[in-house]
Amino acid sequence: MFYKLLTDTLKLIQSTKKKKDGSVSWFLVDDEGHEYKVAYESSISGTITWRCNNSEFPNCPGKVVTKGHSRPITVKKLHEHNASIKTKVKELYANIRIMSANNPDTQPRKIILECTKGLSEEIVAHLPTYSSTRQVCSRARINPYEDFEIPSDFSFILPEQFKNLENGEKFLFFDEISGEDRILIFTTEKNLSLLTEYRNLLCDGTFGSFAF
Ligand SMILES: [Zn+2]
């Protein structure tokens, strides 16, 4: 998916660090595999001047220019070195991060397999360990529940977000303590009216099992 884009748009790697104003910053990778960071961005013409970002050659004059985030890439000054394999590895990590963030339920193993498929042996030899690659996957995941406290007993207070749907519709219909138990019933008006339309109801459920 990522490589298909290469033919018509710029190959950009999203930086893991954000700019001071909180916006996303990008690295550009040209067709030879050279990596650049933004040197100057003209808000009037939309022209971006990119400077070589190879840390082993900090004084490399390599410079290209693009119009916004689109082709063509116009070479202004040539590099004093060859493209680095590190850029390829960085690209791979960016792909893993994007895929993990977009597919939070997919196992890291599958994502790593998918992203490393078809890579040259040279790149594979430069990859960090499998476990650190896995970490990249899990860090990229956004857990929508991470700010909520996991209840330790039945007296927990249900956060307001769980009582209604995103459209404001009521979702929690029943919440009562009965003896040692607490029963919570979640449904919608629509689901209840659907139920009333039928004479026979089949049920299934998990009883006596809960996750702490
Ligand atoms: Zn360079």
Side-chain angles (χ1 to χ4, degrees), residues 11 28-36 82-85 87-88 91:
K11 197 192 269 185
L28 167 70
V29 181
D30 71 12
D31 299 332
E32 276 84 51
H34 284 293
E35 183 184 321
Y36 305 84
N82 291 324
S84 165
I85 196 93
T87 301
K88 288 269 171 216
E91 255 175 64

Side-chain angles (χ1 to χ4, degrees), residues 3-19:
Y3 292 100
K4 210 182 122 207
L5 292 171
L6 164 70
T7 51
D8 41 352
T9 54
L10 292 180
K11 197 192 269 185
L12 296 166
I13 302 178
Q14 189 175 333
S15 170
T16 46
K17 289 178 204 128
K18 289 208 170 129
K19 285 193 234 167

Side-chain angles (χ1 to χ4, degrees), residues 2 11-20 22-29 35-38 50 53 69 90-91 93-95 97-98 140:
F2 189 82
K11 197 192 269 185
L12 296 166
I13 302 178
Q14 189 175 333
S15 170
T16 46
K17 289 178 204 128
K18 289 208 170 129
K19 285 193 234 167
K20 275 181 202 145
S23 62
V24 170
S25 66
W26 301 91
F27 297 114
L28 167 70
V29 181
E35 183 184 321
Y36 305 84
K37 62 185 169 194
V38 175
W50 302 84
N53 193 38
H69 279 175
K90 208 174 194 177
E91 255 175 64
Y93 267 49
N95 282 350
R97 272 195 298 272
I98 292 166

Side-chain angles (χ1 to χ4, degrees), residues 3 9 70 72-73 83 111 141 169 178 192 196 206:
Y3 292 100
T9 54
S70 48
I73 301 172
I111 288 173
R141 267 157 221 254
E169 215 181 304
S178 138
L192 286 176
T196 61
T206 308

Side-chain angles (χ1 to χ4, degrees), residues 52 60 79 81:
C52 175
C60 172
H79 295 267
H81 56 89

Side-chain angles (χ1 to χ4, degrees), residues 48 50 63-67 71-77:
I48 306 174
W50 302 84
K63 197 186 273 181
V64 296
V65 166
T66 60
K67 191 101 178 184
R71 283 174 182 270
I73 301 172
T74 311
V75 177
K76 290 287 176 190
K77 281 206 172 99

